[in-house]
Amino acid sequence: MSPSPADESLDFAFPAPPAPGHTIEVAPGILWARLALPFLLDHVNIYFIDDGNGWALIDTGLGNKATLAAWQPLLDTVLTDRPLTRIIATHFHPDHVGAAGFLLKHFDVPLYMSATEYLQCLNLHLDPGALEAEHYRRFYLDHGLDAETTQRVVTGGHAYLRLLSGLPPTYHRVVAGDVLRIGGREFDVLTGGGHSPEEIMLVCRADKLFFSADQVLAKISPNVSVSAVDPEGDPLGQYLRSLEALRNGIGDDVLVLPGHNLPFHGLHARIAGLVAHHQSRCERILRACRIEPRSAAELVPFVYTRRLDPHQMGFAFGEVLAHVNYMRRRGSLKSVDTADGIQRLITA
C-alpha cells in the first residue's frame, strides 16, 4: 500500500473508526468492525451483514495470535445470539482471510471466494516454503536487488503471507456476474485484478452500498505488484481497467465500504485520484530512465523516498516493476542488454 492523498471532495460519513472489539452500524443491518495489523498499514476493516438468523462476514483479519484474541469480544457480543452464516473472503491476502480457519472451528459455515483467490491461498497454506524457492530469489536478483536485501525480502519480507489459521478443503465459488442474496438484499458480484488476481467486490444497487475490498481505498493506493510466478505480468494494466469498469458500472452516489481506511462517498473522484497517482509514478520512472538505464531495484528510490523494511521493500519492488511492465507493454520503456545480466530499462 502506498500513500495516495484523498480527494478533498470525498465525504467521510463516519469520521472515526470503531474502537477495538466494537462495531458501528454503517447502514441498516450492516456493522463495521476493525482489526489491528502489525504493519505500517495498521488495520483492516471487516463487515457483518444481516443475513436473517445470523450474519454474513466480509473478511476476517490475520491468523496471528493477536488477531484471534481480538476476535473474542466480537464473538461475545455480535455473534452471541446470531452466529455467522457464511464467510466472504474478498481475496487471498492474509489480512483478509487469515482468521478464516479459526472462525470455521466456531461456525460450520461455507467460505465464499473466487476460484483464483482460493487456490492461491490454498497454495500458500499447503506450501509456505515455496516463498523462499529459487525462482523467487532469481526474480529479485535479475532485476537488480542485491543478494543481502533479496535474502531479507524472501524470508522476513514474505513472512506475513504465512499468517493463516487454516483453510477448509472445500469452498463456495463466487464468479463475477453472480448475485448474492444476503438477508433482504441482493448484491452483484464484481471482480477486479491488479492488487490481487480475482478480488471480490459487492454492490447493492438498491441501497447504494459498495464493498470495494482493497480495490478502491480513500487515502492509499492498494499495492499493485508483479509476482515472481508471473514476472512479465501486467497487474497495473489490469488494475486501471478494473477502475474504469467500476467508474462506468457503479453510480457515484454509493457509500464505499473499503477494506482499509474510512468509508466514504465520492467513488468517481477517488477513482480519478488513483489513476492520476499511478500516472505520476510512471512519469517518475520515465524521467529516471531518460538519464541512464535503470533496473527495477535502482528505480525504487525514485518512487519511494523513505527507508523501507523487508516487508515494505517486497511491496515497493513489485510495484515499481508493475509500472515498468505496464510501460514496456505500451512502448514507453524498452529493455537493454547489460554486462552484468541485470535487466535494465531506458525510455523508448
Side-chain angles (χ1 to χ4, degrees):
M1 306 288 184
S2 56
S4 174
D7 188 283
E8 292 181 0
S9 66
L10 300 189
D11 173 28
F12 295 97
F14 304 91
H22 292 76
T23 62
I24 293 174
E25 187 174 54
V26 294
I30 297 181
L31 305 180
W32 167 33
R34 179 170 278 192
L35 296 168
L37 299 176
F39 313 122
L40 183 63
L41 178 60
D42 62 4
H43 69 274
V44 63
N45 297 326
I46 63 172
Y47 300 93
F48 300 90
I49 305 176
D50 183 351
D51 198 15
N53 294 326
W55 300 96
L57 174 67
I58 295 183
D59 289 338
T60 72
L62 288 171
N64 61 341
K65 291 181 179 179
T67 302
L68 303 188
W71 260 103
Q72 197 58 51
L74 297 170
L75 293 171
D76 293 342
T77 54
V78 178
L79 301 175
T80 297
D81 299 320
R82 300 180 64 198
L84 292 182
T85 58
R86 56 186 120 176
I87 298 172
I88 302 167
T90 57
H91 57 296
F92 82 92
H93 296 161
D95 53 328
H96 295 266
V97 70
F102 165 78
L103 292 170
L104 291 172
K105 292 177 181 177
H106 288 75
F107 306 99
D108 183 17
V109 298
L111 174 67
Y112 284 50
M113 295 184 77
S114 66
T116 310
E117 300 293 339
Y118 174 79
L119 294 173
Q120 187 94 336
C121 190
L122 185 64
N123 183 54
L124 285 174
H125 179 57
L126 295 177
D127 188 17
L131 294 168
E132 298 181 32
E134 181 60 22
H135 66 278
Y136 276 92
R137 297 177 187 276
R138 291 299 343 154
F139 172 66
Y140 294 109
L141 294 169
D142 289 349
H143 289 282
L145 206 63
D146 64 88
E148 181 181 350
T149 305
T150 294
Q151 176 65 16
R152 291 202 304 267
V153 169
V154 299
T155 53
H158 287 169
Y160 91 104
L161 291 171
R162 300 179 175 89
L163 298 178
L164 298 168
S165 63
L167 205 64
T170 63
Y171 76 112
H172 183 111
R173 184 182 180 186
V174 181
V175 181
D178 285 354
V179 177
L180 294 185
R181 292 171 177 83
I182 304 176
R185 293 182 170 98
E186 290 189 349
F187 291 88
D188 292 339
V189 176
L190 313 174
T191 58
H195 175 62
S196 196
E198 194 185 359
E199 183 173 25
I200 292 171
M201 296 162 281
L202 301 178
V203 58
C204 177
R205 301 184 191 278
D207 290 347
K208 300 179 180 178
L209 301 169
F210 175 42
F211 291 92
S212 67
D214 283 3
Q215 207 72 350
V216 182
L217 306 171
K219 297 182 179 181
I220 55 177
S221 169
N223 181 252
V224 178
S225 282
V226 173
S227 165
V229 299
D230 183 20
E232 301 297 321
D234 183 25
L236 180 57
Q238 296 168 26
Y239 181 64
L240 294 175
R241 289 195 299 272
S242 171
L243 291 181
E244 180 68 10
L246 294 176
R247 188 185 69 80
N248 292 333
I250 300 178
D252 197 33
D253 55 354
V254 294
L255 173 62
V256 182
L257 299 166
H260 306 275
N261 300 152
L262 299 173
F264 66 94
H265 289 96
L267 175 64
H268 291 184
R270 186 58 190 142
I271 287 173
L274 288 165
V275 172
H277 168 77
H278 288 287
Q279 289 173 339
S280 174
R281 291 198 156 179
C282 287
E283 290 165 4
R284 290 189 196 183
I285 290 169
L286 284 173
R287 285 197 297 270
C289 291
R290 287 192 190 103
I291 300 170
E292 61 180 280
R294 315 265 189 186
S295 69
E298 291 164 343
L299 287 166
V300 168
F302 290 91
V303 179
Y304 296 88
T305 56
R306 67 180 186 274
R307 184 177 178 85
L308 302 171
D309 64 26
H311 175 73
Q312 295 160 357
M313 176 57 80
F315 282 137
F317 179 95
E319 179 133 353
V320 167
L321 191 55
H323 289 74
V324 165
N325 285 3
Y326 175 80
M327 288 188 283
R328 284 180 60 204
R329 289 197 179 203
R330 288 150 185 84
S332 302
L333 289 176
K334 64 179 182 180
S335 299
V336 294
D337 294 329
T338 59
D340 58 10
I342 292 173
Q343 298 184 36
R344 290 187 171 87
L345 297 305
I346 59 171
T347 53

